């Protein structure tokens, strides 16, 4: 139903005429933001950008004042200057919050303690609470200073600190022991540093509950505080009337955007079936609100005055729902975008739909340029563009006049358009693609509309029997949807995992989608040739990528104090580790992204250290691991050997007390690895001893994983 709602808004948009200035403004601003994100800001560069902006604006004003515009001689020049100015502004806005430019950032001040406000709702994960802390004061030897900047804070939960004691707007005092966010240390690992930098966060800290002191509360934005309080009351009402834990968590996530209670199993099920967007309150949910009220207020389309009144009612409803969800960033983005599109639709400006979408993105990026690197921002706009661009194409290609069949074909077209818009980028980021997204959306997303409306009814109803009956109906609807989801998830190849593409391969896919759509619309052979060229490039890149991945490879992962060695060859993968299960969070975060590029999770051979394993390619026993002709040994100083052993790599762990000379008496090795379980003093000592005998040494601690492509194929 949400898809059909968007179909009503975008119907007939294949002919997009009209003036669209915001499309050009958005492109110029995006180019500037992209340049700003790609370059490391410095003060000379920042000042040069300001100087360039002053020059461009001065030239624009000069030309505007000394020419007669009715002659149309300088329109193009003025247009170029305007676009150039927006690009420079994009750079400046991107750089201004960086600690290298922002002179009031707390990291530029020597301090012993920091005071800040909890800037978002704290999230509980296991025995840790995580939240951003907006720093306001830094205390040092010279006293307190007003500072700015945000710190990502993780606090261990204990008996002295329970999650309910921290909330948005609390003022906290913490010691000044923060550190910069580390880069990714393993191939395929999430770049958490870039992710936080996209939220203007460059530092993080880990504290025990005894290390922070709460100074007060209620010091955040009153508006957001009120919104979050309303959401908490709504979540509590769901908990009261929906006894089943899974059903309650789905209702809270789907209707209110509250995902703290969601289990990893449920989230993975939605992800594997291509319906994870259902749990992220965003465009679909906002459109549902818009669609329902628009249908109820159909009678207000009779005159311009009534249409304006209808627009105001719909606008209040959309932003009221945003308030209900706590003004989360995805909902704010969706509300702004839908507001622009809604305004164009209500006032008969459908032919400028691209301009409306571009205007919403332009103002969002003008407010926060770092939205451009936010995955949710990218996927939501690409999905909408896919719907706007492709759905009318498919409607024209598969016309139907049957009133009963038309909603189904519209729904299928909208689903394909959204998946075509967001799917390639989602595969690039998450390395997977849901094969059955069409049936999953048909059997899950449509019931989701009913769940949302019943959920709204439950929130509105007063306490009593009617609310209990409504809660029971809502629970059964959600459980039935979860059952259907689990059924689809069990289909063969429900989710294609291990998809690894470069950014330019993803761009080629989008170019292919575009030219195929154009070939269908205009039916000219030039577009067909363009599609064939895109396919040829994709085939060539896939072929060369397959060739480059055929050789055996060893990866010694950086998993902090733990051990994980990945072996890859001929589409197979093995994992040797001291962790007890492949489902361990550290393995899922740091190891599996690289191994899944070669084998599915179910096909990865799992070997626990100190156990025995043997097949045609790999042998493992205790602390010795052999991969073809390549042999590894894990050494922590407790090992004893009766004879002399030859290995290729020795991995030192847990601060062995012996010397390198003692080790070499029992073991001949070609490479020494020191992992993250060793102290810095131990690392320095072993490095010095290895350098003295010209033995190559590699340190994993605070460094990238050791990746070793073997020259010869494993026999």
């Amino acid at each position: 139903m949400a898809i059909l709602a968007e179909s009503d808004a975008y119907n007939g948009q294949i002919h997009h005429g009209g003036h669209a200035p915001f499309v050009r403004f958005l492109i110029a601003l995006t180019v500037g933001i992209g340049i700003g994100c790609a370059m490391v800001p410095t003060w000379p560069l920042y000042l040069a950008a300001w100087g360039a902006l002053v020059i461009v604006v001065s030239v624009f004003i000069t030309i505007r004042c000394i020419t007669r515009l009715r002659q149309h001689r300088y329109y193009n020049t003025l247009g170029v200057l305007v676009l150039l100015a927006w690009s420079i502004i994009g750079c400046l806005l991107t750089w201004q919050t960086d600690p290298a430019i922002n002179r009031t950032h707390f990291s530029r001040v020597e301090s012993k303690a920091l005071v800040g406000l909890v800037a978002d709702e704290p999230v509980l994960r296991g025995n840790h609470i995580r939240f951003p802390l907006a720093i306001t004061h830094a205390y040092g030897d010279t006293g307190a200073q007003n500072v700015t900047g945000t710190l990502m804070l993780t606090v261990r939960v204990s008996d002295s600190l329970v999650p309910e004691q921290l909330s948005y707007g609390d003022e906290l005092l913490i010691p000044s022991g923060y550190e910069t966010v580390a880069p990714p240390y393993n191939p395929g690992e999430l770049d958490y540093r870039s992710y936080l930098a996209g939220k203007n966060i460059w530092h993080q800290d880990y504290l025990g509950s005894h290390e922070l002191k709460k100074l007060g509360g209620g010091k955040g934005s009153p508006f957001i505080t009120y919104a979050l309080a309303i959401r908490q009351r709504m979540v509590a009402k769901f908990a009261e009337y929906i006894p089943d834990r899974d059903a309650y968590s789905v209702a809270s996530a789907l209707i209110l955007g509250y995902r703290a209670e969601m289990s990893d199993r449920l989230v993975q099920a939605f992800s594997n079936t291509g319906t994870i967007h259902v749990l992220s309150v965003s465009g679909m949910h906002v459109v549902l609100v818009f669609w329902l009220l628009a249908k109820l207020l159909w009678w207000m389309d009779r005159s311009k005055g009534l249409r304006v009144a209808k627009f105001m009612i719909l606008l209040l409803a959309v932003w009221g729902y945003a308030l209900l969800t706590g003004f989360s960033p995805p909902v704010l983005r969706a509300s702004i975008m839908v507001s622009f599109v809604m305004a164009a639709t209500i006032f008969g400006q459908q032919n400028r739909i691209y301009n409306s979408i571009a205007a919403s993105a332009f103002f969002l990026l003008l407010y926060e340029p770092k939205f451009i690197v936010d995955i949710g921002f990218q996927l939501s706009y690409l999905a909408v563009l896919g719907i706007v661009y492709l759905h009318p194409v498919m409607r024209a290609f598969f016309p139907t006049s049957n009133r009963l069949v038309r909603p189904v074909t519209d729904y299928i077209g909208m689903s394909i358009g959204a998946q075509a818009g967001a799917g390639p980028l989602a595969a690039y980021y998450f390395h997977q693609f849901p094969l059955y997204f069409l049936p999953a959306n048909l059997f899950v997303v449509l019931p989701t509309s009913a769940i949302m409306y019943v959920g709204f009814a439950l929130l509105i109803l007063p306490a009593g029997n009617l609310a209990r009956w409504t809660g029971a109906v809502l629970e059964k609807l959600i459980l039935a949807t979860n059952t259907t989801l689990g059924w689809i998830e069990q289909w063969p190849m429900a989710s294609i995992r291990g998809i690894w593409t470069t950014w330019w391969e993803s761009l080629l896919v989008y170019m292919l989608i575009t030219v195929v759509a154009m070939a269908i619309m205009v039916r000219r052979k030039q577009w067909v040739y363009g599609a064939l060229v895109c396919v040829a490039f994709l085939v060539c890149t896939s072929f060369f990528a397959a060739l480059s991945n055929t050789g055996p490879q060893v990866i010694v992962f950086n998993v902090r104090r733990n051990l994980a060695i990945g072996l890859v060859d001929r589409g197979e993968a093995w994992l040797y580790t001291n962790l007890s299960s492949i489902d361990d969070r550290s393995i899922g975060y740091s190891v599996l992204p690289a191994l899944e590029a070669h084998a599915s999770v179910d096909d990865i051979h799992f070997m626990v250290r100190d156990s025995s394993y043997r097949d045609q390619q790999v042998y493992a026993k205790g602390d010795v691991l052999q991969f073809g002709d390549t042999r590894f040994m894990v050494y922590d100083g407790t090992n004893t050997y009766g004879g002399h052993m030859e290995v290729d790599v020795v991995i030192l762990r847990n601060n062995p007390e012996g010397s390198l000379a003692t080790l070499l008496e029992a073991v001949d090795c070609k490479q020494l690895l020191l992992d993250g379980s060793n102290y810095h003093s131990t690392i320095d000592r072993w490095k010095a001893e290895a350098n003295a005998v010209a033995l190559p040494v590699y340190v994993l601690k605070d460094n990238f994983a050791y990746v070793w492509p073997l020259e010869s194929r494993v026999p």
Side-chain angles (χ1 to χ4, degrees), residues 389-443:
Y389 183 67
L390 293 178
H391 174 241
V393 177
M394 287 179 283
R395 175 177 280 184
F397 197 70
F398 300 102
T400 178
S401 56
N402 190 304
R403 296 184 61 182
L404 297 177
V405 177
R406 180 71 174 268
V408 177
T409 58
D410 275 346
Y411 170 78
I412 293 173
M414 301 292 283
S415 296
I416 294 175
Q419 197 68 34
L425 189 66
Y428 170 76
Y429 281 125
F430 305 116
H431 314 297
Q432 65 179 27
F433 184 83
L435 190 61
Y436 305 117
F437 68 89
L438 264 181
N441 277 273
L442 181 64
F443 294 116

Side-chain angles (χ1 to χ4, degrees), residues 203-414:
H203 301 84
Q204 62 182 350
D205 202 357
Y206 299 86
L207 299 176
S209 56
H210 63 280
E211 295 181 274
L212 60 83
K213 181 180 180 181
K214 184 175 177 180
L215 303 179
K219 297 190 176 181
S221 166
F223 208 52
I224 296 179
T225 301
Y226 178 68
L228 292 176
I230 289 179
R231 186 170 75 167
Q232 286 296 331
R233 289 199 294 270
M234 300 297 101
V235 169
K237 190 169 186 179
F238 280 148
E240 180 181 357
Y241 289 100
I242 305 177
D244 186 87
R245 184 75 174 180
D246 284 347
Y248 150 70
S249 65
V250 170
S252 300
L254 192 150
I255 300 171
L256 301 173
Y258 183 77
R259 293 179 58 175
E261 304 291 337
M262 286 288 294
S263 66
D264 293 338
R265 174 184 54 82
L266 266 179
V267 173
Q268 190 62 45
F270 277 93
S271 178
N272 289 341
T273 54
T275 54
I276 189 65
H277 58 90
V278 169
L279 298 180
S280 300
V281 175
S282 55
M284 185 194 77
H285 303 74
V286 176
V287 167
L288 276 174
V289 176
F290 164 62
W291 182 86
L292 177 62
L293 280 178
K295 291 299 182 184
L296 293 175
L297 301 176
W298 59 270
W299 53 272
M300 300 184 72
D301 293 327
R302 299 174 181 175
S303 66
K304 184 176 181 180
L306 287 176
R307 284 200 301 272
V308 172
K310 178 180 179 180
F311 169 71
M312 297 304 298
I313 294 173
L314 293 175
L315 199 65
L316 288 173
V318 166
W319 286 96
Y321 180 65
L323 172 69
L324 190 67
T325 59
F327 285 117
S328 64
V331 175
L332 286 176
R333 290 196 301 266
S335 298
I336 293 174
M337 180 171 63
V338 170
S339 297
F340 274 92
V341 175
M342 187 168 54
T345 304
I346 292 294
F347 295 108
Q349 297 296 319
Q350 291 95 334
N351 63 326
R352 297 185 181 180
I353 189 70
Y354 283 132
N355 193 59
S356 300
I357 296 173
S360 67
F362 176 81
F363 287 112
L364 278 169
L365 292 176
L366 204 59
Y367 166 72
E368 178 47 77
K370 294 294 182 66
F371 278 158
I372 197 67
V373 297
D374 185 273
I375 297 175
F377 179 90
Q378 297 170 8
L379 293 179
S380 61
Y381 272 94
L382 284 172
V384 170
L385 289 174
I387 292 171
V388 171
Y389 183 67
L390 293 178
H391 174 241
V393 177
M394 287 179 283
R395 175 177 280 184
F397 197 70
F398 300 102
T400 178
S401 56
N402 190 304
R403 296 184 61 182
L404 297 177
V405 177
R406 180 71 174 268
V408 177
T409 58
D410 275 346
Y411 170 78
I412 293 173
M414 301 292 283

Side-chain angles (χ1 to χ4, degrees), residues 412-475:
I412 293 173
M414 301 292 283
S415 296
I416 294 175
Q419 197 68 34
L425 189 66
Y428 170 76
Y429 281 125
F430 305 116
H431 314 297
Q432 65 179 27
F433 184 83
L435 190 61
Y436 305 117
F437 68 89
L438 264 181
N441 277 273
L442 181 64
F443 294 116
V444 174
V445 176
L446 286 180
T448 294
S449 305
I451 291 172
M452 285 197 65
Y453 294 137
V454 175
F456 287 146
L458 176 59
L459 294 177
I460 295 171
L461 289 173
N465 289 331
L466 186 57
R468 279 193 292 272
W469 295 336
T470 305
V473 171
L474 181 59
E475 182 181 77

Side-chain angles (χ1 to χ4, degrees), residues 613-628:
Y613 178 90
R614 180 191 292 272
D615 62 21
Q616 293 182 345
Q617 295 170 280
V618 177
Y619 169 80
K621 185 175 182 180
D623 294 321
V624 177
L625 173 67
Q626 185 159 337
F627 184 37

Side-chain angles (χ1 to χ4, degrees), residues 3 29 71 94 105 113 136 157 162 185 191 258 418 519 565 621 650:
I3 299 295
L29 185 66
Q71 294 180 352
T94 305
H105 196 272
T136 58
V157 178
V162 295
Y185 287 138
D191 191 347
Y258 183 77
I565 303 175
K621 185 175 182 180
V650 172

